[in-house]
Amino acid sequence: MCFFLVGFTDCTDRIQFLFNTDDSHFVLNSDGVLIVSNSFDIKVSYLTFFKSSPKVTIGFTTKCQSQILTAGHPDVAVRYFPKSSNGLRRRKRDWVIPPFNYPENHDGPFPYKIAQLMAYSNAEDPLEIIINVIDMNDNKPIFEQTSYVGEVAESSPKGTTVIQVLATDADEPGNDNSIIKYTILRQEPKLPNDHMFVINTNNGAIMVEDVGLNKETYPEYTLQIQAADMKGEGLTGKTKVVLKVADRNDNAPVFIQSTYWGSVDENAVGVQIVKLSVTDKDEQNAPAWNAKFKIISGDPEKLFSIETGSNKQEGIIKTALVKSKILLKDPVFKLIKLCFNSKV
């Protein structure tokens, strides 16, 4: 009996295989030892070995009936079972596992079963499993300030931007859970109408919606603003906006009397003759309320002067400081113009 060691590999770390041959004169053990019957005398032979479905045919020459070739010996050939041919043959497909979706803040019970995977013992590479945590609408919009204070000039035209409010949402950006819409819930006072202001639903800018803002009548407005996620249909947050109406010079001074009379001695210098009182509906003591007086006609020789009194609503006419004779035929000067420009 002659022994030969045949080396095989299937690209794994295994060293034991199950083989069979198509020639009964040979026996191939699982450790690669090929046993040849003594009664079989041949120097060159070809054998076909089967391992599962692949097969390989090898040729060998007997050198000695008692020689044993060990693994690693140059005469020991390593045979690889052939790969699949280029023809159409069934092959194992890689697993493609779709992502699993799991809502955040799930109530359980835990452990919570998301999915079940089944694999055979001859599974190949490790599988990548993706679990997406789905954002839930669990955060309400929060304004940057609990209250805002702004100023709007009276008589501002429609469309004038007054102030901008801003709210943020901690839910996933770009998701409906964090898309905020703004609305005005209430306006106080509701005069001259209840829609004096409007808000941009997307960016929170508050604008004048109607004419009629008047400092003297309605000096201040209070708005309650709401921010709601889910494009305006979800959780809400609120803030207060106080808008102070700023005075503008939109009211002309009015003389209390249509005519004023006074008298003065001849050749008097710097003597007070008469006081001219006016009223103004602008904000009291504001620059637009302070009056400035000026003589516009009737005194070509500049015999008189006029100045504003300390209360800013009174014009005081005096004789000029230059000594000059006053004609009795012109004892009164009535043409007075009120200058109310605060810069004068």
Side-chain angles (χ1 to χ4, degrees):
M1 182 177 293
C2 189
F3 300 89
F4 297 92
L5 180 62
V6 182
F8 289 91
T9 178
D10 65 350
C11 300
T12 67
D13 295 333
R14 294 187 298 171
I15 60 174
Q16 298 287 327
F17 302 94
L18 294 178
F19 298 100
N20 55 57
T21 73
D22 61 351
D23 193 325
S24 61
H25 295 90
F26 299 89
V27 177
L28 183 60
N29 293 339
S30 61
D31 58 359
V33 176
L34 180 64
I35 303 174
V36 184
S37 172
N38 286 332
S39 61
F40 183 75
D41 187 12
I42 189 170
K43 293 185 177 180
V44 179
S45 180
Y46 292 90
L47 295 178
T48 300
F49 300 94
F50 296 87
K51 172 186 174 291
S52 300
S53 59
K55 67 180 180 178
V56 64
T57 302
I58 64 171
F60 66 94
T61 302
T62 58
K63 293 184 178 181
C64 175
Q65 290 184 333
S66 61
Q67 183 180 9
I68 298 179
L69 303 181
T70 59
H73 190 281
D75 291 326
V76 177
V78 177
R79 300 297 181 183
Y80 296 89
F81 278 81
K83 296 182 179 179
S84 300
S85 67
N86 294 329
L88 295 177
R89 300 191 62 180
R90 182 178 179 182
R91 57 173 298 183
K92 187 186 301 180
R93 293 179 298 176
D94 293 335
W95 281 28
V96 178
I97 307 298
F100 297 106
N101 296 326
Y102 181 77
E104 67 173 348
N105 302 324
H106 196 277
D107 293 333
F110 298 103
Y112 181 78
K113 182 178 179 180
I114 300 177
Q116 183 174 355
L117 300 178
M118 303 260 323
Y120 297 102
S121 60
N122 60 346
E124 296 179 350
D125 297 332
L127 297 176
E128 181 182 66
I129 299 176
I130 299 175
I131 300 177
N132 295 324
V133 179
I134 304 302
D135 182 61
M136 304 299 290
N137 191 20
D138 54 349
N139 293 283
K140 70 177 183 178
I142 298 177
F143 281 95
E144 290 185 340
Q145 299 176 211
T146 56
S147 64
Y148 295 78
V149 177
E151 185 176 270
V152 55
E154 62 179 351
S155 302
S156 293
K158 180 178 179 178
T160 302
T161 299
V162 181
I163 194 174
Q164 184 173 13
V165 297
L166 181 64
T168 58
D169 195 301
D171 287 314
E172 181 182 4
N175 189 296
D176 283 355
N177 297 335
S178 63
I179 297 179
I180 297 174
K181 297 293 184 180
Y182 301 90
T183 54
I184 297 177
L185 297 179
R186 186 169 62 251
Q187 168 196 303
E188 293 292 342
K190 297 180 175 61
L191 298 170
N193 57 66
D194 60 356
H195 53 85
M196 295 299 296
F197 303 93
V198 67
I199 190 169
N200 187 308
T201 59
N202 296 317
N203 62 24
I206 298 175
M207 297 165 287
V208 176
E209 176 66 7
D210 203 353
V211 297
L213 293 172
N214 191 299
K215 166 73 174 179
E216 293 70 44
T217 308
Y218 311 109
E220 184 177 288
Y221 288 88
T222 300
L223 307 177
Q224 186 178 40
I225 310 299
Q226 173 181 281
D229 58 20
M230 295 293 290
K231 298 181 179 181
E233 301 295 331
L235 303 177
T236 62
K238 296 179 178 63
T239 191
K240 181 177 70 173
V241 176
V242 177
L243 298 178
K244 298 181 180 297
V245 180
D247 185 52
R248 293 182 61 182
N249 193 13
D250 57 346
N251 292 283
V254 177
F255 285 99
I256 295 178
Q257 299 175 214
S258 60
T259 304
Y260 292 84
W261 297 90
S263 63
V264 63
D265 294 336
E266 182 180 18
N267 297 324
V269 177
V271 176
Q272 177 178 312
I273 301 173
V274 67
K275 290 183 178 181
L276 314 177
S277 297
V278 297
T279 60
D280 194 308
K281 290 184 179 180
D282 288 317
E283 183 181 5
Q284 187 172 357
N285 298 320
W289 182 83
N290 297 334
K292 186 78 174 180
F293 295 85
K294 182 181 180 180
I295 298 175
I296 59 173
S297 64
D299 184 21
E301 298 181 11
K302 308 296 182 183
L303 299 178
F304 299 93
S305 66
I306 188 169
E307 61 185 39
T308 302
S310 59
N311 67 357
K312 304 299 182 181
Q313 292 282 284
E314 189 176 63
I316 302 174
I317 297 179
K318 297 180 179 181
T319 58
L321 295 178
V322 179
K323 189 174 182 180
S324 178
K325 185 177 180 178
I326 300 177
L327 298 179
L328 295 177
K329 66 178 181 179
D330 293 322
V332 178
F333 295 83
K334 297 184 290 184
L335 299 178
I336 306 296
K337 179 182 179 182
L338 182 63
C339 180
F340 52 90
N341 189 334
S342 61
K343 295 183 179 180
V344 175

